[in-house]
Amino acid sequence: MALVNSERSKAGCSPVTLNATLSKAAQGHSADMASHQNMSHTGSDGSNPGERITRAGYSWSTYGENVAYGYATPEKVMAGWMSSPGHKRNILNCGFKEIGVGLAQPGNYWTQDFATAR
Protein backbone atom coordinates (compact mmCIF):
# COMPACT_ATOMS: atom_id res chain seq x y z
CA MET A 1 0.00 0.00 0.00
CA ALA A 2 2.88 2.38 0.74
CA LEU A 3 4.23 1.84 -2.78
CA VAL A 4 0.80 2.56 -4.28
CA ASN A 5 0.40 5.71 -2.20
CA SER A 6 3.88 6.91 -3.16
CA GLU A 7 2.93 6.71 -6.85
CA ARG A 8 -0.47 8.32 -6.18
CA SER A 9 1.11 11.25 -4.36
CA LYS A 10 3.39 11.93 -7.36
CA ALA A 11 0.24 12.16 -9.51
CA GLY A 12 -1.60 14.42 -7.07
CA CYS A 13 -4.01 11.74 -5.82
CA SER A 14 -4.96 11.31 -2.20
CA PRO A 15 -3.77 8.08 -0.57
CA VAL A 16 -5.89 4.94 -0.55
CA THR A 17 -6.59 3.29 2.79
CA LEU A 18 -6.41 -0.43 3.45
CA ASN A 19 -9.81 -2.09 3.66
CA ALA A 20 -10.14 -5.54 5.27
CA THR A 21 -13.10 -6.54 3.07
CA LEU A 22 -11.25 -5.64 -0.12
CA SER A 23 -8.21 -7.51 1.21
CA LYS A 24 -10.42 -10.57 1.77
CA ALA A 25 -11.55 -10.39 -1.87
CA ALA A 26 -7.99 -9.81 -3.14
CA GLN A 27 -6.48 -12.60 -1.03
CA GLY A 28 -9.25 -14.99 -2.08
CA HIS A 29 -8.59 -14.26 -5.73
CA SER A 30 -4.82 -14.65 -5.32
CA ALA A 31 -5.37 -18.01 -3.60
CA ASP A 32 -7.75 -19.09 -6.37
CA MET A 33 -5.24 -18.15 -9.08
CA ALA A 34 -2.42 -19.96 -7.25
CA SER A 35 -4.46 -23.12 -6.69
CA HIS A 36 -5.38 -23.26 -10.40
CA GLN A 37 -2.03 -21.89 -11.65
CA ASN A 38 -3.91 -19.39 -13.79
CA MET A 39 -3.49 -15.62 -13.74
CA SER A 40 -6.74 -14.00 -14.82
CA HIS A 41 -9.32 -11.42 -13.82
CA THR A 42 -11.87 -14.22 -14.17
CA GLY A 43 -12.09 -16.53 -11.16
CA SER A 44 -12.16 -20.30 -11.50
CA ASP A 45 -15.92 -20.07 -10.79
CA GLY A 46 -16.37 -17.59 -13.67
CA SER A 47 -16.62 -14.56 -11.36
CA ASN A 48 -15.40 -11.08 -12.25
CA PRO A 49 -13.74 -8.65 -9.81
CA GLY A 50 -16.98 -6.79 -9.03
CA GLU A 51 -18.76 -10.04 -8.16
CA ARG A 52 -15.91 -11.15 -5.89
CA ILE A 53 -15.74 -7.76 -4.13
CA THR A 54 -19.52 -7.82 -3.62
CA ARG A 55 -19.43 -11.43 -2.39
CA ALA A 56 -16.78 -10.44 0.18
CA GLY A 57 -19.28 -7.90 1.56
CA TYR A 58 -18.10 -4.60 0.09
CA SER A 59 -20.75 -2.27 -1.35
CA TRP A 60 -18.92 -0.44 -4.14
CA SER A 61 -19.71 2.41 -6.49
CA THR A 62 -16.57 1.80 -8.57
CA TYR A 63 -13.75 -0.72 -8.56
CA GLY A 64 -10.61 -1.81 -10.38
CA GLU A 65 -8.34 -4.83 -10.16
CA ASN A 66 -4.68 -5.49 -10.88
CA VAL A 67 -3.31 -9.03 -11.00
CA ALA A 68 0.22 -10.31 -11.59
CA TYR A 69 2.22 -13.50 -11.40
CA GLY A 70 5.82 -14.38 -10.66
CA TYR A 71 7.17 -11.13 -9.23
CA ALA A 72 9.30 -11.88 -6.15
CA THR A 73 8.86 -8.58 -4.27
CA PRO A 74 6.29 -5.80 -3.88
CA GLU A 75 8.75 -3.38 -5.52
CA LYS A 76 9.09 -5.61 -8.60
CA VAL A 77 5.36 -6.15 -9.04
CA MET A 78 4.72 -2.40 -8.66
CA ALA A 79 7.37 -1.66 -11.30
CA GLY A 80 5.61 -4.11 -13.63
CA TRP A 81 2.19 -2.58 -13.00
CA MET A 82 3.49 0.98 -13.41
CA SER A 83 4.94 0.05 -16.83
CA SER A 84 1.54 -1.27 -17.98
CA PRO A 85 -0.94 1.45 -19.01
CA GLY A 86 -4.08 -0.30 -17.72
CA HIS A 87 -2.59 -1.25 -14.37
CA LYS A 88 -1.02 2.17 -13.93
CA ARG A 89 -4.42 3.75 -14.66
CA ASN A 90 -5.93 1.82 -11.71
CA ILE A 91 -3.09 2.77 -9.36
CA LEU A 92 -3.35 6.45 -10.34
CA ASN A 93 -7.15 6.64 -10.43
CA CYS A 94 -7.83 9.44 -7.95
CA GLY A 95 -11.44 8.26 -7.68
CA PHE A 96 -10.42 5.11 -5.81
CA LYS A 97 -10.40 5.58 -2.02
CA GLU A 98 -9.60 2.10 -0.66
CA ILE A 99 -7.43 -0.90 -1.52
CA GLY A 100 -7.16 -4.56 -0.67
CA VAL A 101 -4.04 -6.60 -1.41
CA GLY A 102 -3.53 -10.34 -1.82
CA LEU A 103 -0.50 -12.57 -2.36
CA ALA A 104 -0.62 -16.36 -2.64
CA GLN A 105 1.86 -19.17 -3.15
CA PRO A 106 3.20 -21.05 -4.89
CA GLY A 107 4.21 -18.72 -7.67
CA ASN A 108 3.67 -15.24 -6.25
CA TYR A 109 0.11 -14.52 -7.44
CA TRP A 110 -0.66 -10.86 -6.64
CA THR A 111 -4.00 -9.04 -6.56
CA GLN A 112 -4.82 -5.40 -5.87
CA ASP A 113 -8.51 -4.56 -5.53
CA PHE A 114 -9.26 -0.84 -5.61
CA ALA A 115 -12.69 0.56 -4.84
CA THR A 116 -14.82 3.38 -3.57
CA ALA A 117 -17.79 2.54 -1.36
CA ARG A 118 -21.33 3.56 -2.21
Side-chain angles (χ1 to χ4, degrees):
M1 187 178 77
L3 296 170
V4 168
N5 284 332
S6 174
E7 294 295 340
R8 289 172 65 86
S9 72
K10 294 176 200 173
C13 294
S14 59
V16 288
T17 57
L18 189 63
N19 179 280
T21 304
L22 289 175
S23 289
K24 177 182 170 185
Q27 185 60 41
H29 187 55
S30 286
D32 182 56
M33 289 189 297
S35 69
H36 292 90
Q37 298 180 354
N38 179 43
M39 186 187 74
S40 176
H41 291 288
T42 303
S44 63
D45 62 356
S47 62
N48 67 42
E51 291 166 339
R52 290 189 297 274
I53 292 167
T54 298
R55 193 165 53 213
Y58 189 94
S59 180
W60 53 269
S61 62
T62 185
Y63 70 84
E65 181 178 79
N66 288 346
V67 295
Y69 160 76
Y71 292 93
T73 67
E75 292 79 10
K76 288 181 180 177
V77 74
M78 275 296 294
W81 281 329
M82 289 303 290
S83 67
S84 164
H87 296 103
K88 182 178 182 176
R89 192 166 32 256
N90 279 338
I91 292 165
L92 301 183
N93 182 335
C94 294
F96 292 141
K97 303 301 180 197
E98 297 179 292
I99 189 173
V101 180
L103 171 60
Q105 304 298 340
N108 294 314
Y109 285 86
W110 301 86
T111 304
Q112 290 178 323
D113 282 333
F114 297 91
T116 300
R118 272 192 204 149

